[in-house]
Amino acid sequence: MHTHTPFTNLAFCVRTFGCQMNKHDSERIAGMLEGLGALPVESIEEADIVVFMTCCVREAADTRLYGQVASLKNTPLRAGTPLSKRVVAVGGCIGQRDGERLVEELPHLDVVFGTHNLGSLPRLLEAALEEGGHHVEVLDAASSFPTELPTAREHAWAAWLPITVGCNNFCSYCIVPYVRGREKSRPLEDIVAEAEGYVAAGVKEITLLGQNVNSYGRDLYGSPRFAAVLDALDATGIERLRFATSHPKDLTDEVIGKFATLRSLMPALHLPVQSGSDAVLAAMNRRYTRGHYLELVRKLREALPGIALSTDIIVGFPGETAKDFEDTYRLVDEVGYHQVFTFIYSKREGTPAASVDDPTPRDVIQGRFDRLVDLVQQRAFEANQADLGAVVDVLVEGASKRDAGLLAGRSPKNQTVHAPLPDGVSAGELAGTVVPVRIDEAKTWYLSGTLADDGAAGHAGAADGR
Ligand code: SF4
């Protein structure tokens, strides 16, 4: 029950670009607006308030944002709206970076906020609703970790839990340290209290978030404490625990060991390598070598032989030679990832790499990229074959988008799994539960199988070796 606020019965919609941190911020925004009596809607057409959570890591997101905000000018208001104009807000990285410039270029934009003042959004929107005009507020740094904001979660059974914000690494292509600020860790007691709340509310899976979770605690405790976070989260009784993102230079043996010992830690790790060439890694300021990375992979597989690894790769970084690319290609071949997110380098103004010119023709870079994608697909297909015949625990997310008669969910290794729904049971009824599925088909991007009726899926199935 809400008391009447300026938001009561207004319809809002949040559009998110970019990373999980942004998705989590969007959930917090939805939580705040719902708490004030506004109603979430799916489409921009139905919304009185539209909030864009933006990302400036990739150039495409910039272009999309400007296009989408511009096109709103011509989108009619919904029938029955009490407003004479739709209220539009832009936050996140582009809000932080561009501030006032955004309202100069997009005059029908009402509110701009940054990465450090999510909690100010209701106040800024309220001012726009009541006074009209532009309301821009961007702060240089957060005074404290914004932990107290309510969150509206996309799925009742899964939660993202930020443990750090910001980044101290200054990879030469990345804008994040400039727009998200220096790394700040959240006190361990706060993290545990939030996780305990989720467990009590029936959440099955928590994903810990940070630009580099491995350095968690350095600012608060003088040395990284990420392994202690994993122990403490496991002790809350959460069923599934994951984390992102993990910088290879800071991944310790202690954290690697947790994959072998912690009940809840899922057998999957995203470990962005970016390049397999030492020269390119140095130019990227990644501060590890190809050899160090491969040694981490060896240790991870020693700790947990079936672990599923995923990574990010940038193709065409300024100065990348044919030999550098071959080093990347060989590394991807050698590791055998379950998934690789491949990107062609795109320049981000304001980063050191943006001032380096590269004469390599675009079609050469595209050719490298296409070759790499073929290899990625082939190796992902091969990696998935290991699960054929295994019974895996699937956390059901709902019906498959392609076929309403199939359930879709996630395996412990984070693979998408499809299986026919039992007669008379809807995907909605199973959503949020864990069901055993016997895998009888393994494709490049998903597994499919049938519900195993004995209900006796081992943890992650036999193929994980645990
Ligand atoms: S670790 Fe590097 S790529 Fe990741 S957010 Fe920090 S600077 Fe950017």
Side-chain angles (χ1 to χ4, degrees):
M1 219 44 52
H2 306 293
T3 51
H4 196 274
T5 76
F7 297 92
T8 304
N9 295 333
L10 291 184
F12 75 92
C13 158
V14 184
R15 281 280 179 272
T16 312
F17 303 85
C19 63
Q20 280 183 332
M21 191 62 93
N22 264 9
K23 288 186 193 151
H24 178 78
D25 283 351
S26 293
E27 293 191 342
R28 290 191 160 204
I29 288 170
M32 286 189 284
L33 296 181
E34 282 179 45
L36 290 163
L39 310 166
V41 290
E42 287 294 316
S43 76
I44 284 180
E45 289 75 20
E46 294 169 278
D48 303 309
I49 300 172
V50 181
V51 182
F52 291 95
M53 278 306 287
T54 63
C55 170
C56 52
V57 172
R58 316 232 165 259
E59 200 173 7
D62 262 49
T63 319
R64 259 171 74 201
L65 172 81
Y66 276 81
Q68 289 206 13
V69 176
S71 76
L72 270 184
K73 224 173 27 193
N74 307 319
T75 309
L77 292 170
R78 73 171 167 103
T81 179
L83 304 185
S84 55
K85 174 191 176 304
R86 186 177 277 113
V87 172
V88 185
V90 170
C93 297
I94 297 181
Q96 185 73 30
R97 187 195 62 189
D98 293 355
E100 289 282 350
R101 219 172 76 202
L102 274 162
V103 290
E104 283 160 23
E105 285 192 33
L106 299 163
H108 61 294
L109 187 57
D110 304 280
V111 169
V112 178
F113 61 108
T115 53
H116 301 302
N117 61 334
L118 212 59
S120 311
L121 180 63
R123 178 170 49 74
L124 297 168
L125 285 174
E126 189 174 333
L129 284 166
E130 293 185 344
E131 302 158 20
H134 299 311
H135 300 269
V136 178
E137 187 179 292
V138 176
L139 307 181
D140 279 345
S143 48
S144 66
F145 200 104
T147 58
E148 68 291 343
L149 304 176
T151 300
R153 296 195 314 277
E154 190 183 343
H155 298 303
W157 62 88
W160 285 311
L161 205 171
I163 66 168
T164 66
V165 288
C167 184
N168 292 350
N169 286 318
F170 293 94
C171 301
S172 63
Y173 51 84
C174 181
I175 193 91
V176 165
Y178 306 96
V179 290
R180 291 256 174 198
R182 293 303 88 76
E183 181 176 277
K184 268 192 212 68
S185 304
R186 185 174 174 188
L188 186 54
E189 314 82 78
D190 286 9
I191 297 170
V192 172
E194 188 170 337
E196 285 172 346
Y198 289 141
V199 173
V203 166
K204 299 272 170 48
E205 178 172 291
I206 291 177
T207 304
L208 303 174
L209 290 183
Q211 303 296 347
N212 176 16
V213 290
N214 294 324
S215 58
Y216 167 83
R218 200 175 274 155
D219 54 325
L220 286 183
Y221 308 110
S223 60
R225 293 275 173 90
F226 184 52
V229 178
L230 294 175
D231 284 340
L233 266 280
D234 189 65
T236 63
I238 188 70
E239 211 166 311
R240 294 181 163 206
L241 182 61
R242 304 185 188 278
F243 58 84
T245 301
S246 190
H247 195 305
K249 82 177 163 53
D250 296 314
L251 179 62
T252 61
D253 290 351
E254 197 185 2
V255 168
I256 290 174
K258 298 295 174 198
F259 281 99
T261 57
L262 288 188
R263 169 197 56 79
S264 61
L265 191 56
M266 289 291 101
L269 176 66
H270 185 68
L271 193 63
V273 66
Q274 309 297 3
S275 168
S277 148
D278 282 342
V280 174
L281 287 171
M284 287 176 166
N285 193 30
R286 292 289 289 175
R287 290 181 281 162
Y288 54 83
T289 60
R290 168 197 180 84
H292 177 77
Y293 185 91
L294 288 172
E295 179 61 9
L296 292 176
V297 170
R298 191 194 62 72
K299 287 179 182 172
L300 283 158
R301 293 217 161 117
E302 188 177 82
L304 184 60
I307 193 167
L309 298 174
S310 56
T311 200
D312 298 331
I313 304 241
I314 298 172
V315 177
F317 189 77
E320 179 189 80
T321 62
K323 151 111 183 31
D324 293 325
F325 175 73
E326 289 310 317
D327 286 347
T328 300
Y329 189 90
R330 280 191 301 113
L331 181 133
V332 169
D333 198 24
E334 199 172 325
V335 175
Y337 293 101
H338 272 71
Q339 194 165 16
V340 181
F341 300 92
T342 43
F343 303 96
I344 290 186
Y345 172 76
S346 84
K347 194 192 265 201
R348 309 312 299 130
E349 289 310 333
T351 60
S355 56
V356 182
D357 284 326
D358 186 1
T360 314
R362 179 82 195 182
D363 59 334
V364 170
I365 292 172
Q366 187 68 46
R368 290 176 190 167
F369 181 81
D370 294 345
R371 257 186 79 206
L372 186 65
V373 168
D374 283 348
L375 176 69
V376 163
Q377 293 186 355
Q378 181 196 326
R379 302 298 269 124
F381 178 82
E382 287 163 13
N384 280 338
Q385 303 311 305
D387 290 306
L388 270 181
V391 176
V392 301
D393 285 339
V394 175
L395 177 54
V396 180
E397 294 182 339
S400 153
K401 290 203 178 79
R402 291 176 306 141
D403 181 345
L406 297 178
L407 65 81
R410 294 270 163 183
S411 72
K413 293 182 192 168
N414 217 15
Q415 298 137 303
T416 297
V417 182
H418 294 153
L421 285 158
D423 285 343
V425 179
S426 73
E429 286 168 66
L430 284 182
T433 64
V434 175
V435 297
V437 174
R438 189 175 307 282
I439 303 302
D440 47 39
E441 198 180 2
K443 303 278 209 191
T444 305
W445 301 128
Y446 67 92
L447 306 174
S448 46
T450 44
L451 284 178
D453 47 14
D454 55 10
H459 198 96
D464 283 318
R466 54 190 287 179

